[in-house]
Amino acid sequence: MNWLGLLPFLLFSLLFLILPTMHIVIGAFQTRDGSFTLQNIRDLNTGTIPSSYWISIKISFASAVLGCLIGFGMAAAVTCGAVPKWIRAPLLTFSGVASNFAGVPLAFAFLATLGPAGLVTLWLRSEFGIVLQRDLGFNLLSFWGLTITYLFFQIPLMILIIAPALEGLKREWREAASILGASGFQYWRMVAFPILFPSLLGTLALLFANAFGAVATAIALTGSALNIVPIQLYAQIRGDVLGNPHLGYAMAFGMIVVTAAANVLYIWLRARSERWLK
């Protein structure tokens, strides 16, 4: 009876996570007639597929690094800084919502704001004569456009994850450092950051995996304008005569390997950091 409450979760996990993942992995090593082959894996090194993986990795890494830096600064400000404490609860509440806001709604929000006919784009053009693409070289349907879009959910996720780690820093450590004559910068450089470093690296890995696996946002925002893995994957499995579903399975399998490696790294580093924060 103790396991009865977990049945809905186990059922959903089986139907929407485990079985689809197994189907993708098996399909990556099959031909159209169902026989075993490694050709689909070899084909990942052909055409524009390697470049699409490389662009996806760069976007994921850029958004993860920027998300970590900005999110850490915001979390530190409300946790350890002089920012009023009443800001903390609204910030964490917003972060909980924004970290799950992705897909078509997020793409539409950025197109309506920074797209070719977006609110900010038209306002800058009419009020200041600034054309984003001509004067600043900014295009929402580009590398940096997609990276900035990803930051909308990367920064809140960083805040949610790193805030408990910052709160785990014991006040006695800072007091001891101050008694020994350490400045605030020396405390962060020699005490706080070494303790938080595994947690920061782990969160960086998690944010990388989060961005690398973001499919709906990339497709809805850029369409075919940017050669990234989700776009290539969609072209292979959408079902037209030119697509190769099993090559799509192989591409999805490659994405699973990358995201799984990042998540395993996050779990390992998180476990190391928690030993200090207990």
Side-chain angles (χ1 to χ4, degrees), residues 113-208:
T113 305
L114 293 173
L119 179 65
V120 174
T121 304
L122 296 179
W123 178 73
L124 290 175
R125 184 183 303 170
S126 61
E127 296 295 328
F128 303 100
I130 298 175
V131 180
L132 286 179
Q133 188 165 2
R134 182 193 66 194
D135 300 328
L136 302 180
F138 176 78
N139 180 14
L140 188 63
L141 311 181
S142 64
F143 175 91
W144 285 112
L146 189 58
T147 300
I148 291 174
T149 304
Y150 281 177
L151 287 179
F152 188 88
F153 55 78
Q154 295 281 68
I155 294 173
L157 182 60
M158 175 64 179
I159 293 173
L160 290 176
I161 295 175
I162 206 64
L166 287 168
E167 291 174 344
L169 294 174
K170 292 180 172 56
R171 186 177 60 184
E172 293 84 354
W173 297 342
R174 187 158 198 162
E175 292 174 350
S178 179
I179 292 172
L180 293 173
S183 64
F185 175 76
Q186 289 175 319
Y187 163 75
W188 280 100
R189 182 174 65 87
M190 303 177 68
V191 179
F193 274 123
I195 294 173
L196 293 173
F197 188 66
S199 183
L200 289 171
L201 281 183
T203 308
L204 177 67
L206 181 64
L207 264 61
F208 174 87

Side-chain angles (χ1 to χ4, degrees), residues 72-133:
F72 180 82
M74 295 175 65
V78 298
T79 304
C80 309
V83 175
K85 295 298 183 182
W86 62 266
I87 297 179
R88 182 181 181 278
L91 178 63
L92 293 179
T93 301
F94 172 78
S95 297
V97 175
S99 63
N100 293 287
F101 185 69
V104 176
L106 179 61
F108 173 78
F110 271 81
L111 284 171
T113 305
L114 293 173
L119 179 65
V120 174
T121 304
L122 296 179
W123 178 73
L124 290 175
R125 184 183 303 170
S126 61
E127 296 295 328
F128 303 100
I130 298 175
V131 180
L132 286 179
Q133 188 165 2

Side-chain angles (χ1 to χ4, degrees), residues 12 38 143 148 196 263 267:
F12 274 92
L38 292 176
F143 175 91
I148 291 174
L196 293 173
N263 278 290
I267 294 172

